Amino acid sequence: ACFRLLCSLLIPALFLSGILCVCLVVLLWGTRLWILQRKKQLDAAGKDGKRPLLVAFFHPYCNAGGGGERVLWCAIRTLQKKYRNVTCVVYTGDRDATGEEIVEGAFRRFNIKLSHPVKFVFLEKRYLVEASLYPHFTLLGQSLGSVFLGWEALLKCVPDIYIDSMGYAFTLPLFKYLGGCRVGCYVHYPTISTDMLSVVRNQDTRFNNAAFITNNPLFSKFKLIYYYFFAFMYGLVGSCSDVIMVNSSWTLNHILSLWRAGACTSVVYPPCDVQTFLDIPLEEEKSTTEYSIVSISQFRPEKDHPLQIRAFAKLLKEKRLGQQPSVKLILIGGCRNQQDEERVNNLKRLCEELGVSNNVTFRINIPFEELKRHLAKATIGLHTMWNEHFGIGVVECMAAGTVILAHNSGGPKLDIVVPHEGHTTGFLAENEDSYAEMMAYILSLSPEKRLEIRENARHSVHRFSDQHFEETFQLSVEPLFK
């Protein structure tokens, strides 16, 4: 009787599931045909009768002025140089600026001049990808939000080639299967990484894993299941990309383990404006009464500025025993909002608690020329982010001629602060003690030895130049144009 009851329930359920699946397939296929029909109607032929190839970049914050934006404009400039019959499109949510102002901003900030106009598609629903909208389940919320934002983008302009240049992998299947586009992506860092999974698994308290979760085994288990589910979905959507570019070996390792698409994945180092910093004259230090240690990074929690201040305080405490020159720490960075400003105030309070306020200077949102002046005078360039995916600031410090001291993880460890032709290019540390020890060691070196390390570092950064990016980017995207 139980078996008959089970069959009587199971067979209709399977039949209903089958009908729903068929309806879904028909709906998706119909949507695809409708979108492709719209594309034919909207497309216009060029002067020679040939329709230009539309290459669209999904970059909702294209006017932000960070390293990701530098990649975007260099990528567009590269395509304009290489392909004549290409029109570049940028999907952006920067509705407070005109297209001309955005292009002018790219030239002013990055010295990148485009040879042809760019078409901008302004999106109205950018708020859907902002973290503040999702106080809980942020990763999932932003990813689903990006699908709705991607749908708006697709309805406004259907390209031939779609490139996600900002890390919204959940838009890739949308453009590939509904838009009929060839799709590629440039991954600055994975939305979720195996490191993030291990942090939750080991119940470590970090900026993205609150103490109330780590202290509760049930919450930790639930978060781990959520992360594994999200990692599975992230792998699924990412693997549909035809071309995958990553910015470092660290990002490569994570993307290979999550997306499992090694055949179409390659490392394309981001273009750093190394020449600007290489123009700073490199001279042997004269006898000095003060050493400066400079840190360049936005005032965000993951940059771990408190570690810099605590390590510096420890260095000063140990240095007071001798009669060496005084040492100053200069924290240079951008403040994006009120939260960042509050973070700076907390850092200033930490300096007061540790008694180092007189030796620490904060320089916020300073002009580029002032940044160069600080780097030209600095002895040490300091960077403390754990698992930094690449580290443009690290490259800039090395190009400017400082002795770099970065975190022994991520991009700095695997790609940047590595021996060049067998010679030392900089140093790595992991915690308060090792940072303090390494700073003391660098300051104890002779000016001649420091100059040698600075020269090695400068010679090593040419592989992060605009020219090297253009060559590797061209090679990587070639399959999309065939």
Side-chain angles (χ1 to χ4, degrees), residues 124-354:
E124 291 168 29
K125 296 183 178 65
R126 189 176 71 179
Y127 64 88
L128 291 174
V129 296
E130 286 171 8
S132 57
L133 195 64
Y134 313 99
H136 305 292
F137 301 100
T138 312
L139 293 179
L140 191 60
Q142 284 183 292
S143 298
L144 291 174
S146 74
V147 175
F148 286 103
L149 190 64
W151 176 249
E152 183 194 343
L154 187 59
L155 289 182
K156 286 184 172 177
C157 174
V158 186
D160 300 291
I161 294 168
Y162 171 79
I163 298 173
D164 163 41
S165 52
M166 217 180 154
Y168 293 109
F170 281 74
T171 62
L172 294 166
L174 190 69
F175 279 82
K176 182 167 186 172
Y177 300 118
L178 291 186
C181 313
R182 283 159 277 169
V183 299
C185 57
Y186 187 95
V187 185
H188 296 277
Y189 53 91
T191 305
I192 191 166
S193 66
T194 47
D195 289 328
M196 286 165 73
L197 291 169
S198 68
V199 162
V200 179
R201 197 185 307 112
N202 300 333
Q203 291 180 253
D204 293 341
T205 302
R206 287 190 182 268
F207 74 92
N208 60 350
N209 198 34
F212 80 89
I213 290 175
T214 59
N215 296 333
N216 188 311
L218 186 67
F219 284 175
S220 284
K221 286 278 188 296
F222 180 75
K223 185 165 183 177
L224 192 61
I225 291 165
Y226 159 56
Y227 266 24
Y228 272 114
F229 167 73
F230 185 83
F232 170 74
M233 293 301 294
Y234 183 60
L236 215 58
V237 296
S239 62
C240 79
S241 191
D242 301 309
V243 163
I244 302 161
M245 294 165 279
V246 297
N247 68 339
S248 69
S249 304
W250 181 84
T251 308
L252 175 72
N253 295 337
H254 287 286
I255 289 297
L256 288 178
S257 69
L258 290 163
W259 291 11
R260 303 184 187 281
C264 57
T265 307
S266 57
V267 176
V268 178
Y269 289 130
C272 306
D273 192 12
V274 292
Q275 196 52 54
T276 302
F277 293 98
L278 290 171
D279 289 341
I280 296 170
L282 195 61
E283 296 163 357
E284 191 177 310
E285 301 158 42
K286 308 287 188 291
S287 56
T288 182
T289 54
E290 184 180 82
Y291 290 119
S292 73
I293 299 167
V294 169
S295 155
I296 315 172
S297 52
Q298 282 186 317
F299 289 101
R300 301 206 305 256
E302 65 270 24
K303 298 298 182 181
D304 206 352
H305 288 91
L307 172 57
Q308 298 181 3
I309 293 165
R310 288 195 302 270
F312 180 69
K314 189 161 273 197
L315 169 75
L316 286 191
K317 194 176 174 184
E318 287 160 10
K319 276 186 71 64
R320 281 190 189 126
L321 300 169
Q323 292 298 310
Q324 296 105 330
S326 65
V327 186
K328 195 161 203 165
L329 174 62
I330 303 168
L331 301 176
I332 300 172
C335 273
R336 302 162 298 172
N337 48 40
Q338 201 174 342
Q339 283 177 308
D340 286 357
E341 285 165 20
E342 184 55 40
R343 206 166 283 122
V344 171
N345 291 332
N346 290 337
L347 293 171
K348 286 177 179 175
R349 280 194 283 274
L350 178 63
C351 291
E352 285 168 17
E353 286 166 27
L354 296 172

Side-chain angles (χ1 to χ4, degrees), residues 60 68 83 116 152 198 217 252 268 296 305 307 309 347 357 366 371-372 396 429 433 440 452 461 467:
Y83 301 100
H116 300 292
E152 183 194 343
S198 68
L252 175 72
V268 178
I296 315 172
H305 288 91
L307 172 57
I309 293 165
L347 293 171
S357 291
I366 60 172
L371 167 69
K372 276 174 70 176
E396 289 175 346
D433 290 332
E452 191 184 306
V461 297
Q467 189 183 349

Side-chain angles (χ1 to χ4, degrees), residues 261 315 361 394 430 447 480:
L315 169 75
T361 305
V394 175
E430 286 178 26
L480 297 175

